[in-house]
Amino acid sequence: MFDIDPVVWLQSWATPALTAVMNGISILGYTRAYIAITVLMAFVFPMRIAIALLVLIAPSGAITDATKAAVAAPRPGWVSGSVQSLSVFAQDLRTRNADTPTEMEDDYGFPSGHVSATTAFAVGLAFLLRAGPRGWSLAIAWIALMALSRLYLGRHFLGDVVGGVG
């Protein structure tokens, strides 16, 4: 059911520097990070853009968390011992009680919350700013980079990140 080959292949390129870069990218993928960025944007862009982004990001996070709980798909490290946990935040969450929303969202892999939040933010920002081809290319590149970081860090399967875009 789960294909770990892309994750293992990406991790075969692992270096300490690349792992640090991928962790840095991944840190920006939390829904809370995009909410904070959006609030700061309210000081630079018109308030309506920040409010519209918040209206996109917050429900996206809620839908992602509900889908994770409903699907209850495992993460790559649970399925195969050949997947390394390269994320600085990854812990063996199966041994913890899910008593906070953050712990519950970390329990399962599908869909990727990082990719979901990144998609809502990047596509929403490009749409609201009426971005041209260059802006849309940057939005798509950022989404792809977030997805790549989540695969590389061993936190998601390919289907999880595709589901996050959806």
Side-chain angles (χ1 to χ4, degrees):
M1 176 176 173
F2 301 103
D3 188 9
I4 61 161
D5 292 339
V7 176
V8 173
W9 180 81
L10 281 172
Q11 289 188 341
S12 72
W13 296 90
T15 66
L18 183 58
T19 300
V21 168
M22 292 299 185
N23 273 296
I25 292 166
S26 189
I27 286 171
L28 295 174
Y30 286 99
T31 300
R32 294 172 298 274
Y34 285 117
I35 289 173
I37 292 167
T38 302
V39 168
L40 292 174
M41 286 176 52
F43 295 103
V44 177
F45 294 102
M47 185 66 74
R48 67 175 178 78
I49 291 177
I51 292 171
L53 274 176
L54 288 174
V55 167
L56 287 170
I57 295 167
S60 171
I63 291 168
T64 299
D65 289 349
T67 305
K68 281 180 182 281
V71 175
R75 291 192 181 267
W78 302 2
V79 175
S80 171
S82 61
V83 175
Q84 303 172 56
S85 179
L86 299 176
S87 173
V88 294
F89 299 107
Q91 301 172 13
D92 189 3
L93 298 171
R94 293 172 289 174
T95 61
R96 297 186 344 191
N97 290 329
D99 57 0
T100 68
T102 302
E103 289 173 6
M104 287 172 30
E105 77 184 32
D106 278 345
D107 277 345
Y108 302 113
F110 181 88
S112 169
H114 281 69
V115 175
S116 175
T118 300
T119 301
F121 179 81
V123 170
L125 188 61
F127 180 79
L128 291 167
L129 294 178
R130 295 188 171 111
R134 186 178 208 172
W136 280 100
S137 295
L138 288 172
I140 292 167
W142 180 243
I143 295 165
L145 196 55
M146 184 61 67
L148 183 66
S149 77
R150 301 307 288 164
L151 291 168
Y152 173 88
L153 294 172
R155 298 294 287 158
H156 290 287
F157 293 104
L158 184 59
D160 299 344
V161 297
V162 170
V165 172

